[in-house]
Amino acid sequence: MASMRDIKRRKASIQSTSQITKAMKLVSTVKLQKAKGRAEESKPYFNKMYETVSGMLAHSSPSGSFFRNDKGSQEPVKKGVIVITSNRGLAGGYNSNVVKLITQGEFDTDNSIIYPIGRKGMESLQRQGFTCKGDYSEVMNHPMFGDAVSIGKTIMTDLESGEIDEVYLAYTVFKNTVTQVPTLIKVLPFSSDEYEMQEEKEKTQGPVAIMNYEPEEEETLGYIIPLYMNSLIFGALTEAVASENGARMQAMDSATSNAEEMIDTLGLQYNRARQAAITQELTEIVAGASAIS
């Protein structure tokens, strides 16, 4: 059994840690309230934008890297992945769950380029051997639409130049305070299989409106696609910030509860050790008195 001094020292250490986790939980709770409001406001626009533009592309037949991937089956496809994680840890499995979407998905280190938003994801993927282009960690401190525009511009430039052929977005969807879902979506371009899936879906849903463009189809979509990209990135950023604070609040709540349980257990151990010490002292006194008499 550990000595009373060791138990008392460990108990004091855990109490100090518990105070820190309580403070971090309160901070995360306050931040979550603000981030939750932004996420809920942007979510309908985010979802409708993805649904609308995806439907437009499914009914369009423009050429160019924005809209179709025409590489043959034998040619390697360069994939660009926007990965949104946090700059800090202590958020449970929030960061690792997003990283797993890449490391356990259909992405290899030779043909994938990571556009990291968040220091934790960047460091983890670099250790796995992935190439990271740029560092947008500061964006996570307070995401603005201008940040999404800047990142989107870089992605579109790389897509036009042929540095990447496909664009994916890995982030965490905020369902509620308790539930956050790591999600991977393909942003651009639509493959032939995805066009066929869209057509099959529309057959079950009934006829759809005819798509007319003014001016020309490709010119119109050339204006819309960058806005589509920026909107998806900004929507994912707001979702990710809310998810991060929700995950951290949960993790700190669990840590505080565990600390309290450990403190109670150590309290019992301390009382038993103290009682054993007192009993031993009494036994030694009685034994000494008997020896004298």
Side-chain angles (χ1 to χ4, degrees):
M1 181 182 290
S3 66
M4 288 190 293
R5 180 182 295 176
D6 292 337
I7 294 173
K8 193 173 183 179
R9 186 178 299 164
R10 190 179 177 198
K11 184 178 178 181
S13 175
I14 294 173
Q15 285 174 333
S16 298
T17 303
S18 176
Q19 291 175 350
I20 294 171
T21 57
K22 279 181 181 178
M24 291 184 68
K25 178 188 172 183
L26 290 173
V27 171
S28 296
T29 302
V30 173
K31 288 184 176 180
L32 175 62
Q33 297 306 316
K34 296 180 180 178
K36 181 180 177 183
R38 291 188 74 188
E40 289 176 345
E41 287 173 3
S42 64
K43 187 188 287 285
Y45 178 78
F46 173 87
N47 293 337
K48 199 64 180 178
M49 172 65 81
Y50 183 69
E51 178 186 335
T52 302
V53 177
S54 298
M56 289 173 63
L57 291 176
H59 290 89
S60 306
S61 55
S63 60
S65 58
F66 286 3
F67 313 105
R68 290 182 185 277
N69 180 8
D70 296 324
K71 279 196 171 183
S73 57
Q74 302 302 319
E75 297 180 75
V77 177
K78 281 282 188 180
K79 299 178 179 179
V81 191
I82 306 166
V83 180
I84 304 177
T85 55
S86 69
N87 290 330
R88 297 178 296 139
L90 300 177
Y94 170 77
N95 293 307
S96 60
N97 289 336
V98 176
V99 171
K100 284 178 184 177
L101 294 174
I102 312 303
T103 57
Q104 297 181 6
E106 298 178 356
F107 301 94
D108 60 75
T109 55
D110 295 329
N111 297 304
S112 299
I113 297 177
I114 307 299
Y115 298 87
I117 306 175
R119 193 171 296 112
K120 288 296 180 180
M122 180 179 67
E123 292 172 352
S124 180
L125 289 168
Q126 282 179 334
R127 285 195 297 269
Q128 299 280 349
F130 285 89
T131 300
C132 293
K133 184 173 182 180
D135 181 3
Y136 305 100
S137 301
E138 294 302 318
V139 171
M140 293 307 297
N141 294 331
H142 187 64
M144 303 293 290
F145 188 75
D147 299 322
V149 172
S150 177
I151 297 167
K153 187 176 180 180
T154 301
I155 302 293
M156 299 303 288
T157 300
D158 291 349
L159 193 62
E160 286 180 322
S161 65
E163 187 172 349
I164 56 175
D165 303 308
E166 297 178 350
V167 181
Y168 294 82
L169 181 60
Y171 68 106
T172 306
V173 174
F174 179 79
K175 292 287 186 183
N176 51 53
T177 305
V178 179
T179 307
Q180 302 89 33
V181 184
T183 305
L184 177 70
I185 62 174
K186 185 176 183 181
V187 180
L188 286 173
F190 266 26
S191 66
S192 57
D193 293 339
E194 289 164 328
Y195 278 91
E196 291 173 3
M197 288 174 59
Q198 186 76 12
E199 289 174 357
E200 289 296 326
K201 181 179 178 182
E202 288 169 358
K203 286 179 182 178
T204 60
Q205 293 178 346
V208 295
I210 298 173
M211 196 72 66
N212 292 319
Y213 293 94
E214 181 64 36
E216 294 300 320
E217 182 177 305
E218 190 163 339
E219 185 180 351
T220 303
L221 290 175
Y223 287 112
I224 293 174
I225 294 301
L227 295 174
Y228 158 75
M229 175 74 74
N230 299 340
S231 299
L232 289 189
I233 294 172
F234 180 68
L237 285 171
T238 58
E239 294 262 345
V241 171
S243 298
E244 176 192 346
N245 286 293
R248 183 168 290 111
M249 187 186 75
Q250 261 189 294
M252 292 302 99
D253 184 55
S254 298
T256 303
S257 298
N258 292 338
E260 289 173 352
E261 289 178 9
M262 292 178 69
I263 289 168
D264 291 341
T265 302
L266 289 171
L268 290 174
Q269 291 179 3
Y270 180 82
N271 290 335
R272 287 171 185 167
R274 182 169 173 271
Q275 188 174 7
I278 292 171
T279 302
Q280 185 177 355
E281 287 180 8
L282 288 173
T283 302
E284 290 173 353
I285 292 171
V286 171
S290 299
I292 292 173
S293 61

